[in-house]
């Protein structure tokens, strides 16, 4: 999964370009920057790579979600639907913008279940955020169709699936916009960083201004100081060192994905020998970024047994129903409404009335699926020895059940 495995001369050269000018800010600094605009160049490269009209760089994948929702007009009084299997960042951003997160089940794609989505839409639904979890695609075409028929925006949280595609079309380009994360453990990384892509020029301009305190960006990059403001914003600006890293990492993304696919193929062949095993449903296997390998057993008991054998043989897998950062029932701070705000916001209104209460038992289908799913992270430079260890542990598990 992590792009740090392939840091090399290309990243050094890019960073060196920035240090030579001494300009870390993406805007201004006229002559001193010697024509170098790394963040801008990264945005253009990224938009082109994805086949999107525009890209807006920001400080993180979480900020990308927030900036995108701001541009979609999301705020208090709105509901935003996402899936109960995602990283906490997805719903943190929804609460932070003042809206209420509503959670759907996941199906065997390990992503949003479109049937459950239909049931969760209300008059208050302003936006739907399917997440392309663990490197692979949600049923995004069905989700976009459901949303379009009700005139609701779709934001694709593509933090874990940069470079993923369906029939050659990039994830993040199906909805109104797509967001990405380049944090330290993502497939391509800038240390911290994020991106939003869209083909809507107006939306991009609004994101560009919002992420930069509302500075008028009629000319982008614009002059600063004398220009006006159309609305309030915030600061989510990416810096030049991150842009420089992004240029070098994006150029390696396809090669990283290729290696992961080759490694994943070997793990899959070994796991296929387990009686009754099923693999995660992939809408388009060709477009999987292969950052993870997920497979399902028949039930929870069998899953535990298999993972015990894997563990005894030096290759324990992740069971996300036991991972507290990615699955709804274990988010105790969400269920308890824990917040630093004295008023209880965002879980309570000023005055103390709860805006929303979550039932930890809300998602039984997801709980069932995740309780019998095992996951191996797939990295770029897995050694033969590492792969052999996992494959031989899978072989032992196949014999044990
Ligand atoms: C990593 C991640 C984010 C947040 O990205 P950061 O850059 O770490 O803020 C959002 N959504 C998902 C699904 C993620 O995996």
């Amino acid at each position: 999964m992590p792009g740090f495995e392939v840091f090399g001369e290309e990243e050094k050269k890019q960073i060196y370009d920035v240090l030579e000018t001494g300009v870390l800010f993406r805007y201004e600094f006229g002559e001193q920057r010697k024509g170098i605009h790394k963040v801008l160049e990264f945005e253009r490269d990224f938009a082109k790579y994805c086949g999107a009209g525009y890209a807006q760089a920001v400080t993180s994948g979480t900020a990308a979600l927030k900036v995108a929702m701001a541009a979609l007009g999301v705020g208090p009084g709105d509901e935003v639907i996402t899936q109960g299997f995602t990283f906490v960042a997805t719903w943190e951003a929804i609460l932070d913008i003042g809206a209420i997160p509503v959670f759907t089940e996941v199906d065997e794609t390990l992503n949003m279940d479109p049937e459950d989505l239909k049931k969760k839409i209300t008059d208050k639904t302003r936006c739907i955020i399917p997440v392309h979890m663990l490197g692979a695609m949600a049923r995004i075409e069905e989700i976009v169709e459901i949303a379009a028929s009700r005139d609701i925006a779709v934001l694709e949280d593509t933090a874990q699936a940069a470079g993923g595609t369906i029939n050659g079309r990039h994830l993040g380009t199906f909805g109104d916009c797509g967001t990405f994360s380049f944090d330290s453990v993502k497939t391509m990384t800038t240390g911290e960083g994020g991106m939003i892509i869209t083909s809507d020029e107006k939306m991009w301009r609004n994101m560009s201004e919002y992420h930069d305190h509302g500075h008028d960006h009629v000319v982008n990059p614009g002059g600063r100081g004398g220009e006006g403001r159309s609305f309030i914003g915030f600061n989510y600006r990416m810096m030049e060192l991150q842009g420089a890293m992004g240029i070098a990492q994006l150029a390696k993304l396809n090669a990283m994905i290729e290696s992961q696919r080759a490694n994943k193929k070997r793990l899959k062949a070994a796991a296929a020998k387990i009686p009754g095993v099923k693999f995660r449903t992939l809408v388009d296997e060709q477009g999987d970024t292969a950052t993870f390998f997920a497979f399902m057993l028949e039930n929870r008991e069998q899953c535990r047994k298999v993972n015990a054998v894997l563990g005894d043989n030096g290759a324990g897998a992740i069971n996300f129903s036991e991972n507290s950062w990615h699955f709804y029932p274990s988010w105790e701070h969400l269920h308890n409404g824990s917040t630093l705000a004295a008023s209880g916001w965002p879980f309570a209104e000023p005055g103390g009335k709860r805006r929303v209460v979550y039932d930890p038992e809300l998602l039984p289908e997801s709980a069932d699926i995740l309780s019998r799913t095992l996951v191996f992270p797939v990295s770029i430079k897995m050694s033969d020895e590492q792969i052999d260890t996992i494959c031989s542990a899978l072989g032992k598990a196949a014999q044990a059940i």
Side-chain angles (χ1 to χ4, degrees):
M1 184 179 189
F4 63 70
E5 293 179 80
V6 295
F7 286 169
E9 292 307 314
E10 301 77 9
E11 283 78 3
K12 286 183 198 160
K13 157 83 174 60
Q14 285 291 335
I15 293 285
Y16 194 70
D17 286 351
V18 175
L19 294 177
E20 282 247 288
T21 67
V23 179
L24 299 180
F25 192 43
R26 68 166 298 176
Y27 299 118
E28 295 224 299
F29 285 84
E31 294 283 293
Q32 192 189 328
R33 64 187 320 135
K34 301 190 185 119
I36 291 179
H37 289 270
K38 295 295 187 188
V39 177
L40 186 65
E41 190 182 332
F42 178 34
E43 288 170 339
R44 289 181 176 160
D45 288 357
F46 198 81
K48 189 164 169 225
Y49 173 83
C50 294
Y54 308 92
Q56 178 61 52
V58 291
T59 43
S60 70
T62 314
L65 289 161
K66 174 100 181 282
V67 171
M69 279 188 279
L72 290 169
V74 178
D78 296 330
E79 291 176 356
V80 175
I81 304 180
T82 189
Q83 61 202 47
F85 177 50
T86 184
F87 182 54
V88 294
T90 315
W91 54 265
E92 284 173 343
I94 299 170
L95 285 167
D96 203 57
I97 200 111
I100 297 285
V102 173
F103 297 94
T104 72
E105 299 275 18
V106 295
D107 60 23
E108 291 199 358
T109 61
L110 300 183
N111 289 320
M112 184 175 279
D113 175 351
E115 289 311 309
D116 196 45
L117 167 64
K118 285 184 202 159
K119 295 181 206 152
K120 303 253 158 102
I121 291 173
T122 72
D123 292 346
K124 292 183 178 167
T125 308
R126 161 102 37 194
C127 178
I128 299 168
I129 310 186
V131 186
H132 303 294
M133 277 296 276
L134 307 184
M137 61 294 284
R139 298 186 195 274
I140 190 65
E141 288 166 304
E142 281 170 71
I143 292 165
V144 166
E145 202 178 306
I146 294 165
S149 69
R150 293 159 177 84
D151 207 18
I152 300 169
V154 175
L155 185 177
E156 296 170 64
D157 183 343
T158 321
Q160 297 195 8
T165 55
I166 296 176
N167 297 327
R169 180 171 169 187
H170 274 266
L171 302 181
T173 64
F174 290 84
D176 295 78
C177 60
T179 62
F180 296 82
S181 163
F182 310 123
D183 79 22
S184 308
V185 295
K186 296 300 203 279
T187 312
M188 57 169 283
T189 180
T190 60
E192 296 281 3
M195 191 77 84
I196 310 125
I197 56 172
T198 182
S199 290
D200 180 339
E201 184 185 354
K202 175 82 179 136
M203 182 180 176
W204 167 66
R205 285 198 181 279
N206 284 341
M207 292 191 294
S208 174
E209 295 182 3
Y210 177 80
H211 105 295
D212 183 26
H213 298 299
H215 278 278
D216 191 339
H217 286 184
V218 172
V219 179
N220 188 330
R224 300 175 80 81
E227 76 282 26
R229 295 156 293 262
S230 305
F231 45 76
I232 63 158
F234 210 79
N235 176 7
Y236 294 110
R237 288 183 305 248
M238 180 180 269
M239 63 191 246
E240 288 288 278
L241 291 170
Q242 295 160 296
M245 287 295 293
I247 295 166
Q249 284 270 291
L250 178 61
K252 300 177 181 181
L253 181 57
N254 285 347
M256 294 188 227
I257 293 172
E258 277 313 309
S259 311
Q260 289 173 170
R261 282 184 187 145
N263 294 340
K264 179 169 175 173
K265 209 168 159 183
R266 291 169 67 184
L267 303 183
K268 189 172 173 184
K273 301 193 179 104
I274 300 174
V277 74
K278 272 179 80 179
F279 299 110
R280 171 192 191 178
T281 305
L282 293 170
V283 175
D284 177 4
E285 189 159 9
Q286 308 293 322
D288 175 19
T289 66
T291 54
F292 289 92
F293 168 50
F295 57 102
M296 286 108 177
L297 287 311
E298 279 164 11
N299 55 50
R300 178 187 301 250
E301 290 67 42
Q302 203 188 58
C303 182
R304 284 214 178 108
K305 208 167 144 189
V306 166
N307 209 14
V309 177
L310 294 174
D312 288 345
N313 288 281
I318 305 168
N319 181 313
F320 276 97
S321 64
E322 287 158 13
N323 175 304
S324 75
W325 288 97
H326 296 87
F327 185 37
Y328 174 89
S330 31
W331 298 329
E332 79 290 342
H333 53 328
L334 176 78
H335 304 301
N336 299 337
S338 310
T339 169
L340 286 174
S343 67
W345 182 264
F347 299 103
E349 290 167 4
K353 183 168 168 274
R354 274 295 276 265
R355 299 167 72 213
V356 58
V357 177
Y358 292 100
D359 170 8
E361 311 283 320
L362 180 76
L363 304 172
E365 182 191 330
S366 309
D368 171 57
I369 292 170
L370 289 171
S371 76
R372 54 190 173 80
T373 300
L374 292 177
V375 178
F376 284 112
V378 177
S379 49
I380 304 162
K381 292 186 170 174
M382 284 173 104
S383 65
D384 282 338
E385 203 181 320
Q386 278 173 305
I387 294 179
D388 288 345
T389 301
I390 301 176
C391 290
S392 109
L394 285 165
K396 297 225 167 76
Q399 282 161 15
I401 64 164

